[in-house]
Amino acid sequence: DAKTTQPTSMDCAEGRAANLPCNHSTISGNEYVYWYRQIHSQGPQYIIHGLKNNETNEMASLIITEDRKSSTLILPHATLRDTAVYYCIVRVAKSAGGGNKLTFGTGTQLKVEL
Amino acid sequence: DVKVTQSSRYLVKRTGEKVFLECVQDMDHENMFWYRQDPGLGLRLIYFSYDVKMKEKGDIPEGYSVSREKKERFSLILESASTNQTSMYLCASSRSGGFDEQFFGPGTRLTVL
């Protein structure tokens, strides 16, 4: 699975959009980009994933560059409860067995402040 | 509401003790995973299981074993606990299939003295 690079930490004002970047320059054509987050003292939580098209759900939007070498997770109106470590993960999609194991890096600590 | 539960939030054991960490999921998921999380190292996969009685090594299986006798339960075993196994242990489950998200439990913070 391709390696990802994320900033160690970011700050965001409450109510503003939080844009979290991720570089995955060695991504291959069959690898998806996944985002998870981990709020302090909890297990990680799935946010969103995508292959090459931009994706949006009730939690966030995922923007993937045309060359797929980087992506941005957007929290459109960040709240204090969005303070967490955000993990960008790249992996192939496999149909069965252990194929959907995830390799977590150290992520980005997002701090949302008043 | 989907749920993954772990037997303890906090656990303190002594060096050399045999330790069992239990994980139960109520979503009828085929896949189950054990990770450990340490500061500066992120989450690292210890073992996973994609079916009852099936298991595969993850990235750091040394010093651990697992058991999956029932679909809903996945146990992590430390045969002889050591201080370097002090960590946060996280269990997760997912359906079989390429894109399915993993659901995580709240974690067990294990301290080995």
Side-chain angles (χ1 to χ4, degrees):
Chain A
D1 294 339
K3 183 176 178 179
T4 62
T5 305
Q6 299 177 253
T8 303
S9 63
M10 293 181 65
D11 294 331
C12 179
E14 190 177 33
R16 304 297 294 269
N19 298 290
L20 292 97
C22 179
N23 286 319
H24 31 79
S25 58
T26 60
I27 193 171
S28 57
N30 63 344
E31 288 182 313
Y32 285 71
V33 180
Y34 286 72
W35 283 85
Y36 279 72
R37 74 179 183 183
Q38 186 173 20
I39 295 169
H40 183 61
S41 297
Q42 298 182 22
Q45 175 192 24
Y46 166 83
I47 301 172
I48 199 167
H49 75 275
L51 182 62
K52 51 185 172 182
N53 297 322
N54 298 336
E55 302 286 345
T56 295
N57 63 19
E58 65 279 3
M59 289 182 70
S61 295
L62 175 60
I63 309 298
I64 302 174
T65 58
E66 193 167 340
D67 64 6
R68 302 187 68 240
K69 293 183 185 296
S70 65
S71 60
T72 301
L73 179 75
I74 300 172
L75 309 178
H77 305 287
T79 70
L80 298 178
R81 288 177 295 178
D82 292 320
T83 292
V85 177
Y86 287 78
Y87 298 98
C88 170
I89 300 161
V90 173
R91 71 156 177 89
V92 295
K94 295 180 183 177
S95 60
N100 60 347
K101 61 180 180 176
L102 299 169
T103 300
F104 287 80
T106 52
T108 296
Q109 172 66 62
L110 175 68
K111 186 176 180 182
V112 181
E113 300 171 306
L114 291 171
Chain B
D1 202 14
V2 297
K3 192 172 273 189
V4 177
T5 57
Q6 295 182 227
S7 51
S8 306
R9 286 304 304 270
Y10 300 93
L11 204 55
V12 179
K13 295 291 182 180
R14 297 210 173 270
T15 301
E17 280 192 78
K18 190 169 186 176
V19 181
F20 292 87
L21 301 182
E22 304 285 338
C23 176
V24 178
Q25 51 94 4
D26 65 0
M27 296 165 280
D28 200 36
H29 284 170
E30 292 81 11
N31 303 315
M32 296 188 75
F33 307 81
W34 274 107
Y35 296 86
R36 65 177 281 178
Q37 184 171 29
D38 301 287
L41 296 176
L43 279 80
R44 293 178 291 167
L45 181 64
I46 305 171
Y47 266 98
F48 62 96
S49 168
Y50 52 89
D51 201 351
V52 174
K53 297 191 186 294
M54 305 302 290
K55 61 185 179 185
E56 284 196 28
K57 294 180 180 179
D59 300 317
I60 51 162
E62 296 78 20
Y64 303 94
S65 62
V66 290
S67 173
R68 187 143 180 228
E69 297 295 318
K70 294 185 178 182
K71 190 176 186 180
E72 68 271 16
R73 189 178 297 270
F74 192 34
S75 302
L76 180 69
I77 303 156
L78 288 66
E79 293 289 341
S80 178
S82 63
T83 55
N84 63 13
Q85 293 179 309
T86 291
S87 185
M88 170 68 82
Y89 290 88
L90 289 154
C91 174
S93 73
S94 71
R95 285 191 294 122
S96 277
F99 317 138
D100 289 313
E101 64 187 278
Q102 290 191 14
F103 293 87
F104 283 81
T108 296
R109 183 163 295 283
L110 172 67
T111 301
V112 182
L113 301 174

